[in-house]
Amino acid sequence: EHFLTGANRAFTVSPHEYCPRGKRLFLKKVFHNMSCFSYELLHTDPSGARSGALNLAHGRVQTPVFMPVGTHATVKAMTPEELEEIGAEIILGNTYHLYLRPGTEVIATLGGLHRFMHWERPILTDSGGFQVFSLGQLRKIDESGVVFSSHIDGARCSLTPEHVVDIQRVLGSDIIMPLDECAPYPADRGYVAESMARTHRWARRTKDAKMGHDGPAQAPALFGIVQGGMYADLRRASALDLVDMGFDGYAIGGLSVGEDREVMLNMVREAVSCLPTDAPRYLMGVGSPEDMVLSVEAGIDMFDCVLPTRNARNGTLFTRRGKLVIKNSRFERDAAPLDEECLCYTCRNYSRAYLRHLFMSKEILSSRLNTIHNLYYYIDLMRRMRQAVSEDKFVAFKKDFFTNLS
């Protein structure tokens, strides 16, 4: 066996355990008394926008960052190599879906989620709370956790805060999320306050369960999730309570669920005002390019959303000049790329006319090429925001961004 060292980690490689991937190797990681997580705040723009870096077990991630959604251990229509080529540094998986299918035992037997899906870089796994609470009458909430009927076969299943930790550790996630309750919108204050308090009790149990597992070896980072609906004082109280518990990072959940953009941004600002500057901030399930630019200005570091991949499959493409609906007849003979300023594989090689033809013909290649473009756009938007922050030019960047869209 050959012993190699890397930044904040160590590896052992057996000749029986690796397989080629280009000129690289799959490595069996063995960690020795080292921290698996740290956050570096690199620069803060006068606007409040910031750039930083997450140091995780499977690599370094620059922030602000967009995490493509790989709910079922795949980012729809994309191979891991293609994700790397467009600059993806971290992706998101979902505990609820992977727990139901193929099941954690299958993934564990096959070497964990990274090896199972052929992705070597960091993975954040959502707890599945949002999916469970979206089941409506098919689930029941109590202090112990949630009991629900599987959307696949109707089988009765349950998730507790402790179980969610167990599942995510088996998956081998770099960042794990606690079970939380996403209150519906609109909801009265009493319900939201009760839901938030239960989420906090679950967060405490999640942290205790994780600490019970942690030993001298590396462990995943654990983020707390700020709730509180659309009530500013509850958002502040939630953030302060979680900070008092102490987490590696802090997510803001329960937003972009039907409220107006300004309401969402107000809730983001209220939460951020109570969060520490030396920890990452993750806005869950958001969003549109406009929402992300405004949220970065509010101090957010991490995002995920199905919008770029879902819209790609539906024929809606993001460009620096706004959204483009490829099925429109005006693109039938258009030889231009989707976006003249875009350097993605799709824009470098294919015309709007061809992409419209693929979409109208319901060809599988349509989803692939559209997804490559949309995800590249999102990831490049983050790169451009990081650059603007580093140069103290975020306000000018935001002005140009919205001017180009109009």
Side-chain angles (χ1 to χ4, degrees), residues 264-300:
M264 181 197 77
L265 288 171
N266 284 338
M267 295 305 101
V268 169
R269 295 184 189 108
E270 293 292 348
V272 166
S273 70
C274 299
L275 295 176
T277 59
D278 60 351
R281 304 156 179 168
Y282 165 29
L283 182 54
M284 304 178 76
V286 176
S288 71
E290 297 91 329
D291 288 342
M292 292 192 299
V293 169
L294 294 171
S295 298
V296 166
E297 184 178 39
I300 297 297

Side-chain angles (χ1 to χ4, degrees), residues 194-216:
E194 180 183 349
S195 169
M196 182 189 78
R198 180 164 45 236
T199 289
H200 291 180
R201 292 191 294 271
W202 285 352
R204 174 71 69 183
R205 287 167 54 189
T206 300
K207 185 175 181 184
D208 290 345
K210 178 180 177 291
M211 291 177 66
H213 281 291
D214 292 350

Side-chain angles (χ1 to χ4, degrees), residues 116-130:
F116 181 62
M117 67 179 295
H118 188 53
W119 172 256
E120 297 178 59
R121 297 185 179 189
I123 297 175
L124 179 150
T125 44
D126 188 0
S127 69
F130 180 80

Side-chain angles (χ1 to χ4, degrees), residues 68-292:
V69 176
T71 300
H72 298 278
T74 176
V75 176
K76 292 185 187 299
M78 298 284 285
T79 68
E81 289 83 359
E82 288 167 338
L83 288 169
E84 289 187 3
E85 287 168 7
I86 65 173
E89 295 182 337
I90 179 172
I91 63 173
L92 180 141
N94 186 267
T95 301
Y96 166 82
H97 288 284
L98 296 174
Y99 165 62
L100 294 179
R101 185 168 55 195
T104 48
E105 183 179 347
V106 170
I107 295 175
T109 300
L110 295 170
L113 186 55
H114 289 85
R115 181 167 293 188
F116 181 62
M117 67 179 295
H118 188 53
W119 172 256
E120 297 178 59
R121 297 185 179 189
I123 297 175
L124 179 150
T125 44
D126 188 0
S127 69
F130 180 80
Q131 286 72 26
V132 169
F133 296 114
S134 298
L135 294 173
Q137 299 301 314
L138 297 177
R139 49 81 174 161
K140 178 182 177 182
I141 310 167
D142 60 27
E143 192 63 25
S144 64
V146 293
V147 177
F148 60 95
S149 297
S150 166
H151 72 282
I152 298 172
D153 57 10
R156 297 296 284 173
C157 306
S158 65
L159 288 174
T160 67
E162 294 80 9
H163 190 196
V164 164
V165 171
D166 291 339
I167 294 170
Q168 292 181 87
R169 289 188 67 92
V170 170
L171 294 176
S173 311
D174 295 79
I175 300 174
I176 67 176
M177 306 300 295
L179 187 64
D180 68 313
E181 181 178 355
C182 179
Y185 175 78
D188 66 72
R189 180 186 175 84
Y191 178 88
V192 173
E194 180 183 349
S195 169
M196 182 189 78
R198 180 164 45 236
T199 289
H200 291 180
R201 292 191 294 271
W202 285 352
R204 174 71 69 183
R205 287 167 54 189
T206 300
K207 185 175 181 184
D208 290 345
K210 178 180 177 291
M211 291 177 66
H213 281 291
D214 292 350
Q218 283 206 356
L222 173 64
F223 285 20
I225 303 178
V226 176
Q227 290 290 351
M230 307 307 157
Y231 300 94
D233 60 326
L234 294 184
R235 285 286 172 178
R236 293 192 298 270
S238 180
L240 290 170
D241 199 11
L242 293 171
V243 171
D244 187 57
M245 293 185 209
F247 289 87
D248 297 307
Y250 298 89
I252 302 173
L255 294 177
S256 193
V257 290
E259 75 278 9
D260 293 338
R261 174 176 292 160
E262 194 53 42
V263 173
M264 181 197 77
L265 288 171
N266 284 338
M267 295 305 101
V268 169
R269 295 184 189 108
E270 293 292 348
V272 166
S273 70
C274 299
L275 295 176
T277 59
D278 60 351
R281 304 156 179 168
Y282 165 29
L283 182 54
M284 304 178 76
V286 176
S288 71
E290 297 91 329
D291 288 342
M292 292 192 299

